[in-house]
Amino acid sequence: QVQLVESGGGLVQAGGSLTLSCAASGTIFTIGTMGWYRQAPGKERELVAYIDSGTSATYAESVKGRFTISRDNANNTVYLLMNSLKPEDTAVYYCFTNSVPKYGSRWSTFWGQGTQVTVSS
């Protein structure tokens, strides 16, 4: 199976920046889309951004112009650079990937354990 390990969360003041990282490991035949969701207390999980195996990226309207997603295919790692952070960006951020863990198996979605991002006003 595919394991995802996130890092880079923490506490930052409004207007500051953070970079999240997510490394995929384990049994991996093909890694497809990688990206990030987030979930704030009392709210549903929402898509933040995702990037395909090339360079095509998609962002939620709420983060466009502030967040940048990128990936290192050689190391199966996805990054999320978050600039101009706002208190409303406070959430647990979850990495995900749509991948094929081994030859002949189906595309499946795998999740990281989540990393807390807290933005103080």
Side-chain angles (χ1 to χ4, degrees), residues 20-22 34-36 51 69-71 76-80 95:
L20 304 182
S21 301
C22 173
M34 299 186 80
W36 299 88
I51 185 168
I69 191 170
S70 61
R71 64 190 285 171
N76 293 333
T77 301
V78 64
Y79 304 95
L80 186 67
C95 172

Side-chain angles (χ1 to χ4, degrees), residues 2-3 10-13 17 22 27 38 42 68 73 85 87 95 98:
V2 178
Q3 289 89 44
L11 173 64
V12 64
Q13 288 189 331
S17 299
C22 173
T27 304
R38 67 186 180 185
T68 302
N73 288 330
L85 283 161
C95 172
N98 295 320

Side-chain angles (χ1 to χ4, degrees), residues 77-96:
T77 301
V78 64
Y79 304 95
L80 186 67
L81 170 61
M82 305 183 292
N83 293 323
S84 303
L85 283 161
K86 305 174 181 180
E88 50 264 44
D89 294 316
T90 295
V92 177
Y93 285 69
Y94 296 91
C95 172
F96 77 94

Side-chain angles (χ1 to χ4, degrees), residues 2-6 22-25 34 95-97 110-113:
V2 178
Q3 289 89 44
L4 299 174
V5 178
E6 299 124 331
C22 173
S25 63
M34 299 186 80
C95 172
F96 77 94
T97 180
F110 299 91
W111 295 91
Q113 79 285 356

Side-chain angles (χ1 to χ4, degrees), residues 37-48 86-94 115-118:
Y37 274 75
R38 67 186 180 185
Q39 187 167 21
K43 294 188 177 181
E44 293 187 354
R45 190 175 293 193
E46 63 171 352
L47 179 65
V48 177
K86 305 174 181 180
E88 50 264 44
D89 294 316
T90 295
V92 177
Y93 285 69
Y94 296 91
T115 185
Q116 177 70 46
V117 172
T118 303

Side-chain angles (χ1 to χ4, degrees), residues 56-77:
S56 179
T58 300
Y59 298 91
E61 285 297 325
S62 59
V63 307
K64 276 185 180 178
R66 300 188 298 122
F67 291 11
T68 302
I69 191 170
S70 61
R71 64 190 285 171
D72 176 355
N73 288 330
N75 292 298
N76 293 333
T77 301

